[in-house]
C-alpha cells in the first residue's frame, strides 16, 4: 500500500512538473502582455495620444530556443493601419518603432496612413529603425530618436542586391557585355529607385519644401552608403531632417518588456480609444 501511494504521488509530481514546463512560458507571456498594456495606457494618457508599437526583435521560440527573426510584413501593415483608423482624428499618434526593415509595400502603406492622419504624428525610435522603418519615420511630423539610435538609407533592395549597385554594375561593364537577365534586373532596379525616391519626396514636400524634399529623397535612395549604414541623430540633423531626442522614459521601460525568450508574440499592439475619446 505504501509503495502504491508513493508511486501515485511520484507520478502526480512528475505530471505537475511537466505541466509547469509547458505552461510557464504561457504564464510569462500573459504577464508581459498585461504589463505592456498598462505601460501603453500610461504613456497614452501622459502624452494625450494613441500609442502604437511595431517592435521586431530576434526571439527564441519553443523549448529549444530556436531563433526567430521578424521584419515589417503585410500582417504588420494590416494591424498598424487598423490602429490608425481607430485613432481619434483630433488626437496625435505616437508610433514606437524598433525594426531592421522589411517589405517596401508594407512600409509604404504604413507611411501613407501615418501621413494622412489629421492630427500630429510622431515616430519614436529608441534603438533603430532601418530601411522600411526609416521610410515610416519620414512620414511623421516629428522623429524622436534616442541620442544613440539610428535610421538608415531607404534605397530599394532586389533580392540580396541593392538596386543602385545593380544599375552601377551595368553602367560600368556596359550594356553590351551583360546578359539579358542582368539587363532586365537593372531595368527593374531603376524603376524601384524612381518609385521609392518619388514616394519619399511626396512624404517630405509639405514639411520640408520642394527643393529640400528632392535633395533628401535623392540622398536616401541613391546608394551613397551601404543599406545598413547607420544614420545617427547628429547625421540626421546634418542632412536636415527634423529630429529630436526627447524620448519618453516610459518608452525605455516598455522596450524592456519585449524580451521574451520562450514565446512568439504579435509585433503590433496599441491602446484604442472609446468613442468618447477615453483610453480603454
Amino acid at each position: 500500500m505504501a509503495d502504491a501511494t508513493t508511486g501515485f504521488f511520484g507520478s502526480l509530481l512528475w505530471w505537475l512538473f511537466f505541466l509547469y514546463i509547458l505552461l510557464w512560458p504561457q504564464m510569462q507571456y500573459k504577464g508581459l502582455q498585461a504589463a505592456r498594456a498598462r505601460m501603453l495606457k500610461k504613456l497614452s494618457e501622459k502624452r494625450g495620444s494613441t500609442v502604437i508599437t511595431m517592435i521586431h526583435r530576434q526571439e527564441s521560440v519553443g523549448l529549444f530556443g530556436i531563433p526567430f527573426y521578424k521584419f515589417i510584413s503585410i500582417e504588420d501593415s494590416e494591424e498598424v493601419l487598423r490602429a490608425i483608423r481607430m485613432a481619434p482624428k483630433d488626437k496625435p499618434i505616437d508610433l514606437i518603432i524598433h525594426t531592421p526593415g522589411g517589405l517596401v509595400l508594407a512600409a509604404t502603406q504604413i507611411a501613407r496612413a501615418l501621413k494622412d492622419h489629421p492630427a500630429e504624428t510622431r515616430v519614436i525610435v529608441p534603438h533603430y529603425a532601418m530601411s522600411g522603418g526609416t521610410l515610416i519615420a519620414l512620414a511623421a511630423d516629428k522623429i524622436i530618436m534616442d541620442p544613440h539610435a539610428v535610421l538608415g538609407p531607404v534605397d530599394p533592395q532586389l533580392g540580396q542586391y541593392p538596386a543602385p549597385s545593380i544599375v552601377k554594375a551595368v553602367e560600368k561593364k556596359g550594356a553590351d557585355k551583360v546578359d539579358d537577365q542582368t539587363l532586365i534586373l537593372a531595368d527593374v532596379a531603376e524603376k524601384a529607385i524612381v518609385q521609392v525616391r518619388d514616394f519619399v519626396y511626396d512624404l517630405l514636400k509639405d514639411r520640408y519644401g520642394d527643393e529640400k524634399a528632392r535633395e533628401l529623397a535623392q540622398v536616401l535612395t541613391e546608394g551613397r552608403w551601404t543599406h545598413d549604414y547607420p544614420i545617427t541623430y547628429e547625421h540626421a540633423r546634418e542632412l536636415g531632417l527634423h529630429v529630436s531626442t526627447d524620448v519618453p522614459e516610459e518608452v525605455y521601460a516598455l522596450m524592456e518588456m519585449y524580451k521574451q525568450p520562450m514565446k512568439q508574440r504579435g509585433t503590433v499592439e496599441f491602446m484604442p480609444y472609446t468613442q468618447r475619446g477615453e483610453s480603454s
Side-chain angles (χ1 to χ4, degrees):
M1 187 70 177
D3 289 342
T5 302
T6 302
F8 170 78
F9 281 108
S11 298
L12 180 62
L13 288 173
W14 188 90
W15 278 109
L16 288 174
F17 177 74
F18 181 72
L19 288 173
Y20 172 81
I21 293 295
L22 289 179
L23 296 178
W24 179 243
Q26 285 279 359
M27 293 166 63
Q28 284 184 311
Y29 175 61
K30 293 296 183 183
L32 282 169
Q33 273 189 318
R36 289 200 302 267
R38 290 192 296 270
M39 186 58 70
L40 285 171
K41 183 176 182 180
K42 179 180 178 181
L43 187 58
S44 174
E45 292 173 347
K46 177 180 177 180
R47 294 178 66 82
S49 65
T50 297
V51 180
I52 307 168
T53 67
M54 187 171 69
I55 310 296
H56 296 127
R57 274 186 165 170
Q58 177 185 334
E59 297 179 355
S60 298
V61 179
L63 294 174
F64 299 103
I66 300 171
F68 182 80
Y69 299 89
K70 292 195 172 186
F71 305 91
I72 302 173
S73 66
I74 292 299
E75 287 74 20
D76 287 334
S77 66
E78 290 174 354
E79 288 297 312
V80 175
L81 264 59
R82 175 174 171 265
I84 293 174
R85 275 198 310 273
M86 292 177 64
K89 304 306 179 187
D90 61 341
K91 285 189 176 291
I93 287 177
D94 283 305
L95 175 57
I96 303 169
I97 297 181
H98 177 87
T99 183
L103 291 178
V104 174
L105 173 59
T108 54
Q109 285 182 297
I110 295 170
R112 176 63 67 187
L114 196 64
K115 182 178 184 294
D116 290 343
H117 184 68
E120 184 179 55
T121 55
R122 305 175 290 243
V123 163
I124 302 174
V125 184
H127 184 56
Y128 77 147
M130 306 297 286
S131 189
T134 299
L135 195 65
I136 295 168
L138 294 173
D141 296 314
K142 293 181 180 178
I143 302 174
I144 304 173
M145 302 171 61
D146 179 86
H148 301 103
V150 295
L151 304 174
V154 295
D155 52 310
Q157 309 291 291
L158 298 183
Q160 59 181 319
Y161 301 115
S165 296
I166 296 171
V167 174
K168 289 178 183 177
V170 173
E171 290 175 349
K172 288 183 177 180
K173 196 168 185 179
D176 58 329
K177 297 181 180 179
V178 297
D179 57 46
D180 290 348
Q181 185 175 357
T182 303
L183 287 174
I184 292 170
L185 191 62
D187 178 63
V188 174
E190 287 180 337
K191 290 183 174 71
I193 294 168
V194 170
Q195 288 167 192
V196 175
R197 183 173 296 157
D198 288 348
F199 184 71
V200 172
Y201 165 74
D202 187 57
L203 291 177
L204 299 177
K205 63 182 181 181
D206 293 340
R207 284 174 286 118
Y208 289 83
D210 184 81
E211 184 178 349
K212 189 61 179 179
R214 290 190 187 280
E215 176 192 328
L216 286 168
Q218 176 73 25
V219 168
L220 293 171
T221 61
E222 68 184 1
R224 177 178 300 191
W225 310 291
T226 59
H227 194 60
D228 61 351
Y229 176 78
I231 299 176
T232 62
Y233 166 72
E234 292 82 3
H235 194 176
R237 289 195 65 182
E238 289 172 4
L239 291 173
L241 290 171
H242 300 162
V243 294
S244 68
T245 59
D246 52 339
V247 176
E249 286 299 320
E250 290 83 359
V251 172
Y252 298 115
L254 184 66
M255 290 299 295
E256 287 296 316
M257 300 175 188
Y258 283 90
K259 296 177 180 178
Q260 300 170 79
M262 299 301 292
K263 179 66 182 178
Q264 182 179 346
R265 57 167 175 80
T267 53
V268 178
E269 299 179 41
F270 61 96
M271 179 56 60
Y273 276 77
T274 63
Q275 291 183 347
R276 293 180 299 173
E278 299 175 352
S279 58
S280 58

